[in-house]
Amino acid sequence: MNTENITTTATQAEQPALVKQIGKTTYKVKVHFSETSKETMSDKIVRMLKSEISQMQSLS
């Protein structure tokens, strides 16, 4: 992924956002996290990897 035109912005009043300009269009993706989640980011990544591996195994 080309990250030359990607910037991350955040203020206290605003959620963090990923901003990327492609041609004349600017995309702004806001990021939010659940404050009540019991799953850490590491837990989520492991869960997603296990799911991906399971899907790959079922295709073969």
Side-chain angles (χ1 to χ4, degrees), residues 19-58:
V19 179
K20 179 165 179 142
Q21 187 170 8
I22 301 175
K24 294 181 180 181
T25 305
T26 300
Y27 298 90
K28 184 175 182 179
V29 180
K30 291 191 175 191
V31 180
H32 68 277
F33 299 94
S34 171
E35 293 181 13
T36 60
S37 176
K38 295 187 179 11
E39 184 178 47
T40 66
M41 182 59 86
S42 294
D43 293 338
K44 184 170 188 154
I45 292 170
V46 169
R47 179 177 52 80
M48 291 170 64
L49 287 170
K50 286 179 180 179
S51 174
E52 184 75 19
I53 290 168
S54 177
Q55 288 176 4
M56 290 172 65
Q57 289 175 341
S58 67

